[in-house]
Amino acid sequence: MCGFHVHATIAHNLYVIALRLARALAMAVAGAAVMLAQLNLPSARFWEQQVLLQWASVAALSIMVIYDAVRSVGFAVQESRIRNYDNDLRASLSGVISRLVKLTGVSWDEITVRYYRRRGILFWNRLDLVMALAAGARLSDSQTSVRPGVGIAGTALSEEVMLAEEWGQFVRDATDQGPTLWAQRESRERYGLSWGQLRRSDQPDGVVASPTFALDGKPDGCIVVSGSLKRVDLLGDEVRRTLDDLATVLDRLGPPPKGWWGAHDR
């Protein structure tokens, strides 16, 4: 779907994988050092000269074991809050789908709503997917990130306005014109997308993106609705009011509770 930066998603997944591999490697090396010292391999004399390495290995293993224990306890303590947050968020997004069905006459299974939010200083230059819902069921969405200035959602975030586009027709027109003319367009006219990103994007009939704002007035999230929707509906007052009402509910819900992102890591 437009509004999602494919490279950002790949980079995030590689980052998570790299962290897990580095942690596993560190545990393996520290564990091997401790085991070899206990077995006096290659010799007891060797390990008598490696006291610092032994202590470092034991300390590393202890820290990682304690970290895992604390993380598990934290998840257990936060499990109820995380579950309640998910349920409240699911109900809110479902309510938007129901309301849009009544407003537009579109079938209830032809609308998808997604909610993205900033998740901390390390991820401040993008929004990550919190929940995607369609036909009352949560989606397993591979398009997990939005970057400012990229796609409809990213452009709406950068300009701090609601944007809508009949995306299916937009992509078809651009495809007919070809990559050369696409590259000649101003970045804003391309929603910051390269030709490859355009061609790889999902192509729902319509997309509307509306940013949400923190108490300091800075955008901290984005609501994205897609489906068999026409531009006249997407930019209508009722749709705008619906998304504004959802933004108010999301503001009341606040950010995901502590431990939420770890529990939902993809």
Side-chain angles (χ1 to χ4, degrees):
M1 173 183 176
C2 57
F4 302 93
H5 199 289
V6 175
H7 296 303
T9 300
I10 295 174
H12 170 63
N13 291 338
L14 291 176
Y15 171 75
V16 173
I17 292 172
L19 283 181
R20 291 176 177 174
L21 288 176
R23 180 176 175 278
L25 179 61
M27 288 193 71
V29 171
V34 172
M35 182 182 67
L36 291 173
Q38 291 177 331
L39 296 175
N40 290 323
L41 295 175
S43 68
R45 185 176 181 181
F46 172 82
W47 287 107
E48 288 174 358
Q49 298 173 353
Q50 303 295 331
V51 175
L52 183 60
L53 175 59
Q54 294 183 62
W55 279 111
S57 299
V58 171
L61 284 175
S62 299
I63 290 172
M64 284 183 276
V65 169
I66 292 173
Y67 171 79
D68 285 342
V70 171
R71 190 181 184 195
S72 297
V73 171
F75 282 161
V77 171
Q78 294 295 329
E79 184 178 5
S80 178
R81 291 184 61 194
I82 291 172
R83 183 170 57 252
N84 290 338
Y85 180 87
D86 282 344
N87 290 338
D88 290 341
L89 183 57
R90 185 180 293 106
S92 301
L93 300 187
S94 295
V96 167
I97 293 177
S98 176
R99 189 167 171 181
L100 290 177
V101 166
K102 294 178 181 178
L103 289 174
T104 64
V106 174
S107 175
W108 64 278
D109 59 349
E110 294 180 352
I111 296 179
T112 299
V113 58
R114 295 174 171 86
Y115 175 49
Y116 296 83
R117 191 178 179 98
R118 297 193 193 278
R119 60 176 294 187
I121 296 176
L122 291 176
F123 304 92
W124 191 250
N125 63 337
R126 73 166 190 248
L127 303 180
D128 282 348
L129 180 68
V130 179
M131 185 174 290
L133 210 65
R138 186 168 182 173
L139 300 178
S140 177
D141 205 313
S142 60
Q143 300 161 329
T144 59
S145 297
V146 168
R147 285 193 178 274
V150 181
I152 289 183
T155 304
L157 182 70
S158 297
E159 298 182 359
E160 301 183 9
V161 296
M162 189 178 87
L163 294 177
E165 187 72 65
E166 290 187 15
W167 190 252
Q169 188 61 51
F170 180 83
V171 173
R172 287 191 291 272
D173 291 343
T175 301
D176 290 342
Q177 294 173 5
T180 301
L181 290 179
W182 177 258
Q184 293 174 359
R185 295 190 186 188
E186 295 292 333
S187 178
R188 174 59 177 80
E189 295 178 359
R190 293 184 283 107
Y191 292 105
L193 297 171
S194 68
W195 175 255
Q197 290 170 329
L198 174 78
R199 297 297 299 137
R200 285 177 60 87
S201 66
D202 291 343
Q203 298 179 23
D205 289 340
V207 179
V208 58
S210 180
T212 61
F213 300 89
L215 291 175
D216 61 4
K218 296 180 180 179
D220 65 350
C222 192
I223 303 163
V224 181
V225 175
S226 61
S228 300
L229 302 165
K230 300 302 181 184
R231 186 179 177 87
V232 63
D233 294 324
L234 294 170
L235 290 176
D237 290 339
E238 290 299 326
V239 171
R240 183 184 299 274
R241 189 174 298 112
T242 297
L243 297 186
D244 286 345
D245 289 345
L246 175 58
T248 300
V249 173
L250 295 175
D251 185 54
R252 292 172 181 168
L253 284 178
K258 185 177 180 180
W260 190 95
W261 292 106
H264 291 77
D265 261 346
R266 297 170 177 81

